[in-house]
Amino acid sequence: MGQAEKKHNAVIGAGFGDEGKGMFTDYLCRNAERPLVIRFSGGQQAGHTVVHKGIRHVFSNFGAGTLQGAPSYFARFCTIDPVGIVNELDVLLEKGVEPLLYIDAECPVTTPYDISYNQQHHPHGSCGVGVGATINREEHFYSLTFADLFFPWVLETRLKLIKDFYQGPADIVLEDFLQCCSVLTRSPWLRMSRGLPSDPFSDYIYEGSQGLLLDQHYGFFPYVTRSDTGTKNILSLCGKNTPQVYLITRAYQARHGLGPMSNENLPHNIKENPLETNVRNRFQGEFRRSLLDLSLLEYAMQRDRLLVADPDKCLVITCLDHISNEYRFSQDGEIIHCASEDDFVARIAEQLKIRKVYTSASDDSQTLVRRI
């Protein structure tokens, strides 16, 4: 099957992350013949929860289609963490899941030095796993890529130079990191790729990492992620093909970490989810919630070149079951009260000029419903 015949689907978070991108990626893989999930931004800081046949897993280092048997590909725009990959691989294998991960040769590798620096300098709500520090180091030409891991002397030399870049933290232990680097070069579940894998996949499913409002250009610096979370990287990967875009939002706003978020001064009727993946931690702090702000969704869409011109983009609204009693959202500072869940969905679609909407009230993609 030639590349022009493949289906290209892009799963893009419309907010500050935590929208349900993993669940919808799983849904698209569930309904594809032979999908490949492509991570095109971010890195190991993603946390995408998927539930399938009694297995619940939070994906960070593998694509969210893994439970459907879909291989994953980390494109050159993504950082990788050898320790995180090996640890998650072990967890998946213990659950009876055998994943396949392609890693681009040019993917920057996060080292213990990056993680240590990140955890000591995280004033802006970082996840603490070294993604931003890795990208910053790469921009200063102190590079370490996946392809380098196959050459022991190159790896050793680059690690010494990276240590110098961070002015020599003396208490960093590399033994676990080096062992995991070795596993990555020998594991049957991991493969190096130079560009998109050449296997005859039927569907390319581009799985976003964080939301549009955390994009390094669209978001509110410095409270952003060091990546392009919109369609920019996707367009460079899919060539002349135009992807079908699915914008994902919860039925309310959510933000895990510091930084501005609208409507926090307003009362809301959003229930706490006992199965919430995002909980308070020492780097990001509290998981925050507020009424959905359609003006911010419109802003995010207007900043992305493809989204502003795409008349066929779809909207996915998740977590509808987290709303108690009454559905409402804000628009230009005004609270819009809706008569029912159907009215809530219809008004949002009308305002955003979107003709196809999917909804969900569960973290299992099997419950997704086409509404409009």
Side-chain angles (χ1 to χ4, degrees), residues 38-46 74-75 77-79 207-210 227-230 233:
I38 302 168
R39 286 283 307 279
F40 61 89
S41 64
Q44 63 270 17
Q45 86 277 48
F74 269 49
F77 308 106
C78 301
T79 62
E207 178 187 0
S209 52
Q210 289 75 41
S227 60
D228 298 307
T229 62
N233 294 344

Side-chain angles (χ1 to χ4, degrees), residues 80-363:
I80 62 165
D81 171 20
V83 177
I85 291 174
V86 172
N87 288 343
E88 187 169 342
L89 173 61
D90 288 344
V91 170
L92 287 168
L93 293 175
E94 288 175 3
K95 293 178 177 179
V97 179
E98 296 189 3
L100 176 58
L101 172 61
Y102 295 91
I103 303 174
D104 196 275
E106 297 181 18
C107 282
V109 176
T110 295
T111 72
Y113 299 118
D114 302 304
I115 295 172
S116 175
Y117 180 85
N118 183 193
Q119 293 182 355
Q120 295 176 41
H121 303 83
H122 56 90
H124 305 127
S126 167
C127 295
V129 294
V131 172
T134 303
I135 294 171
N136 178 69
R137 168 176 55 74
E138 289 283 328
E139 291 174 349
H140 284 81
F141 304 103
Y142 287 79
S143 181
L144 179 66
T145 66
F146 181 52
D148 296 332
L149 304 188
F150 293 81
F151 300 89
W153 186 88
V154 172
L155 172 59
E156 179 184 357
T157 302
R158 290 199 182 279
L159 284 173
K160 289 178 180 178
L161 295 171
I162 291 170
K163 180 179 180 180
D164 292 341
F165 174 77
Y166 287 113
Q167 299 181 350
D171 58 344
I172 299 295
V173 177
L174 295 178
E175 181 179 357
D176 190 25
F177 172 77
L178 291 173
Q179 182 177 353
C180 290
C181 287
S182 178
V183 171
L184 260 60
T185 63
R186 297 180 289 105
S187 173
W189 293 284
L190 305 170
R191 299 178 187 176
M192 184 169 69
S193 181
R194 297 186 182 275
L196 285 170
S198 58
D199 284 10
F201 299 104
S202 63
D203 295 67
Y204 282 153
I205 299 171
Y206 301 86
E207 178 187 0
S209 52
Q210 289 75 41
L212 287 170
L213 294 175
L214 290 180
D215 185 281
Q216 61 183 339
H217 300 294
Y218 311 156
F220 303 95
F221 190 87
Y223 302 98
V224 297
T225 187
R226 287 299 310 276
S227 60
D228 298 307
T229 62
T231 63
K232 177 182 176 182
N233 294 344
I234 297 174
L235 293 176
S236 71
L237 291 168
C238 69
K240 297 180 180 180
N241 299 285
T242 300
Q244 172 64 65
V245 176
Y246 298 90
L247 286 165
I248 319 296
T249 180
R250 293 196 187 203
Y252 52 93
Q253 285 193 102
R255 180 162 195 165
H256 200 189
L258 302 178
M261 183 173 74
S262 63
N263 291 343
E264 286 192 283
N265 61 320
L266 300 176
H268 66 71
N269 57 340
I270 306 163
K271 296 186 294 187
E272 290 192 16
N273 177 18
L275 298 177
E276 183 62 63
T277 299
N278 304 285
V279 296
R280 176 180 173 80
N281 63 58
R282 65 191 180 104
F283 299 114
Q284 291 178 283
E286 299 288 347
F287 183 65
R288 299 147 56 193
R289 299 164 297 151
S290 69
L291 289 182
L292 188 65
D293 186 343
L294 249 61
S295 297
L296 270 183
L297 295 186
E298 289 179 310
Y299 159 78
M301 291 162 56
Q302 289 294 321
R303 289 299 305 271
D304 187 284
R305 180 169 63 88
L306 175 61
L307 295 181
V308 74
D310 182 8
D312 297 319
K313 55 185 172 287
C314 303
L315 182 68
V316 181
I317 303 176
T318 65
C319 302
L320 280 163
D321 56 321
H322 297 177
I323 306 297
S324 298
N325 302 324
E326 181 192 17
Y327 290 89
R328 57 183 186 264
F329 59 86
S330 73
Q331 175 72 32
D332 297 327
E334 178 184 357
I335 298 179
I336 309 298
H337 297 267
C338 303
S340 64
E341 180 183 294
D342 288 341
D343 186 39
F344 176 77
V345 172
R347 287 191 181 209
I348 292 172
E350 179 181 12
Q351 181 62 40
L352 298 180
K353 298 180 175 59
I354 291 179
R355 293 176 289 193
K356 187 184 296 184
V357 179
Y358 297 80
T359 62
S360 172
S362 166
D363 54 9

